[in-house]
Amino acid sequence: MLALEVALLSDRGGRKYNEDACGHWHSGRHLCCVLADGAGGHGGGDIASRLAVQELIARFSQQPSERAAELERLLRVTNDVLISERVPGTAKQDMHSTVVCLVIDFVQHTAHWAHSGDSRMYWFRQGRVLDRTRDHSLVQGLVDSGVLTLEQIRSHPKRSELRSALGLAPEMLEVSAREAAQEVQAGDVFLLCTDGLWEYLDDEVLESTLAAAPNPGAWIGELATAVRAAAAHKTSHDNFSALTVWTRAAPAA
């Protein structure tokens, strides 16, 4: 069995509203982590992100998914709920939200995940980035076609233009999910974060701060400090949120 430590933060940055949300739930076998970045204006985004987190966690807790395909279905059901909650003429009339969801089976040592939009999940092994999700965005498409490099995503003027997020018509929604559960090793670290964080912190910064951090809370705090320093020239910089899971071998019974 794996022992898990979780830490999270959500900061409104230089904005009037914090439209990010994150949360987690666990049973005696599963940990489910969800992070979302809402959009909609005048408070609609914060409603959308909270709704996405609450719905996914509630539905997962009722019937924990064992496969990525089941997790994808939960994201699509959550999309339907978000659309049904819209109210014309109010802040809720055009709600959207990115979402990323990570599930760890700490008895079987496996993980699976699904996402829509440009909120990311990073997977670290031995302190290095092993894998990450691929954004549903215009600039990620340009990277995939060889027009841009990964590093150019962070400074591209259209980096915030999404191809998909919750709130789209079901037939238009893109959800990416791992087809097979991935084996998790003791010492692996996972990070879920919104674009307000990863826009300022490249892989090298993530890895160097992780190597220096004594625990998850300290790492999250260092990431927040780094974002504030990097965004100091922008008085209205975006909300930023992060949730990290550190794994280790559980003590023998």
Side-chain angles (χ1 to χ4, degrees):
M1 181 177 291
L2 290 170
L4 307 177
E5 292 183 82
V6 179
L8 55 85
L9 72 86
S10 189
D11 192 296
R12 69 183 178 91
R15 303 289 175 85
K16 292 182 178 180
Y17 299 99
N18 186 353
E19 297 186 317
D20 295 350
C22 53
H24 59 91
W25 170 90
H26 71 86
S27 64
R29 176 173 177 176
H30 295 100
L31 172 70
C32 176
C33 301
V34 184
L35 179 141
D37 181 357
H42 307 292
D46 60 327
I47 297 171
S49 61
R50 288 200 306 269
L51 180 64
V53 172
Q54 291 168 0
E55 280 293 321
L56 266 172
I57 288 177
R59 291 177 183 278
F60 182 89
S61 66
Q62 293 169 5
Q63 188 176 0
S65 71
E66 299 294 341
R67 298 181 302 114
E70 296 168 1
L71 197 58
E72 177 180 348
R73 182 186 64 79
L74 288 181
L75 262 68
R76 293 188 177 279
V77 171
T78 299
N79 184 59
D80 294 340
V81 172
L82 191 152
I83 292 172
S84 72
E85 289 292 318
R86 285 177 170 162
V87 179
T90 73
K92 299 169 66 176
Q93 70 178 356
D94 191 31
M95 297 187 297
H96 292 80
S97 181
T98 70
V99 67
V100 56
C101 181
L102 166 69
V103 174
I104 298 177
D105 184 329
F106 47 87
V107 175
Q108 296 296 323
H109 293 208
T110 60
H112 61 281
W113 55 86
H115 81 288
S116 183
D118 64 355
S119 290
R120 293 181 177 179
M121 189 214 71
Y122 290 82
W123 179 11
F124 300 82
R125 176 164 292 167
Q126 297 181 345
R128 304 298 298 272
V129 175
L130 178 67
D131 197 5
R132 78 159 175 85
T133 53
R134 297 162 67 87
D135 307 331
H136 299 122
S137 65
L138 171 66
V139 290
Q140 181 67 60
L142 295 176
V143 170
D144 293 342
S145 62
V147 175
L148 294 179
T149 67
L150 276 174
E151 285 309 307
Q152 289 175 313
I153 284 180
R154 291 182 168 84
S155 58
H156 197 280
K158 295 189 176 181
R159 61 187 175 277
S160 297
E161 292 191 18
L162 299 181
R163 294 199 319 264
S164 186
L166 300 187
L168 286 181
E171 66 273 14
M172 300 292 291
L173 182 68
E174 289 184 64
V175 177
S176 295
R178 271 289 182 174
E179 293 183 3
Q182 305 295 298
E183 181 181 357
V184 179
Q185 297 180 7
D188 285 358
V189 170
F190 297 88
L191 174 69
L192 280 61
C193 61
T194 57
D195 66 327
L197 187 138
W198 65 252
E199 177 182 339
Y200 295 102
L201 308 182
D202 61 20
D203 289 8
E204 183 178 349
V205 172
L206 295 178
E207 292 173 350
S208 64
T209 52
L210 176 59
N215 57 61
W219 187 41
I220 287 288
E222 186 59 34
L223 294 180
T225 298
V227 169
R228 294 185 187 108
H233 64 290
K234 294 178 64 176
T235 56
S236 62
H237 69 90
D238 199 3
N239 319 140
F240 60 93
S241 298
L243 186 158
T244 187
V245 184
W246 287 26
T247 73
R248 56 182 172 83

